[in-house]
Amino acid sequence: MNIADINKDLQNKEKVAIICVGYNRIKSMKRLLGSLLKAVYPSKDIPLVISVDCSGDTELYEYVKEFEWPFGRKYVNIQEKRLGLKDHIYQCGELTNQFKAIILLEDDLFVSPFFYSYVLKTLDKYGMIVG
């Protein structure tokens, strides 16, 4: 699904989305997405947004488009013009308007298998009960 489809899915307002931000590092993106596949989730309804800044790296673009996300809906946003890291992060941060909360991950990271439950417990602790 395209990132424009996020606005159409009103059910997203109650979900905690995972946002993966990348530029031109396919190996880093593969490592991050691979770690997400190994994580534990409470349901099969976890939105994943992959946003890639414009770099002309068609191999990366194809990889993220073809990536299978078995835990919910996947949205892909490939920028048409280069934003730079700061503006790209700000744009992805605006997705907080579309979801209950977001987990923003840059492509040079990888996650613990229990990162998602940790985030949910933290949101619960601070009064942003999810579920």
Side-chain angles (χ1 to χ4, degrees), residues 11 14-15 17 24 26-27 31 50 61 68 82 85-86 89 94 105 114 117 122 130:
Q11 293 178 345
E14 296 304 315
K15 297 176 185 170
N24 66 350
I26 191 167
K27 287 182 183 178
R31 184 182 61 227
I50 304 172
Y61 299 165
E68 294 288 328
R82 176 107 163 83
L85 180 60
K86 181 179 79 170
I89 295 293
E94 289 180 12
L105 304 169
F114 307 104
S117 61
T122 303
V130 178

Side-chain angles (χ1 to χ4, degrees), residues 3-131:
I3 199 162
D5 295 327
I6 293 174
N7 295 330
K8 297 175 188 173
D9 192 348
L10 299 177
Q11 293 178 345
N12 280 335
K13 286 285 193 185
E14 296 304 315
K15 297 176 185 170
V16 178
I18 302 166
I19 316 294
C20 297
V21 180
Y23 175 50
N24 66 350
R25 299 182 294 199
I26 191 167
K27 287 182 183 178
S28 295
M29 184 63 78
K30 284 181 176 182
R31 184 182 61 227
L32 171 58
L33 295 175
S35 71
L36 291 174
L37 288 174
K38 294 176 184 172
V40 177
Y41 302 99
S43 74
K44 297 271 187 190
D45 198 17
I46 311 298
L48 173 68
V49 178
I50 304 172
S51 185
V52 179
D53 201 359
C54 181
S55 69
D57 186 342
T58 56
E59 183 182 4
L60 174 59
Y61 299 165
E62 289 305 312
Y63 175 75
V64 298
K65 287 178 189 175
E66 299 299 322
F67 177 76
E68 294 288 328
W69 180 243
F71 303 105
R73 292 193 179 203
K74 178 188 83 169
Y75 305 92
V76 175
N77 185 32
I78 298 173
Q79 301 297 326
E80 294 180 12
K81 66 176 189 165
R82 176 107 163 83
L83 296 177
L85 180 60
K86 181 179 79 170
D87 289 338
H88 192 192
I89 295 293
Y90 284 157
Q91 183 187 74
C92 290
E94 289 180 12
L95 291 171
T96 56
N97 296 320
Q98 307 304 320
F99 297 99
K100 177 96 174 179
I102 65 170
I103 302 166
L104 188 63
L105 304 169
E106 290 187 56
D107 63 357
D108 58 351
L109 301 173
F110 62 94
V111 298
S112 157
F114 307 104
F115 87 101
Y116 200 84
S117 61
Y118 174 82
V119 169
L120 294 181
K121 288 177 184 176
T122 303
L123 290 171
D124 183 45
K125 169 79 174 163
Y126 291 98
M128 293 187 63
I129 299 171
V130 178

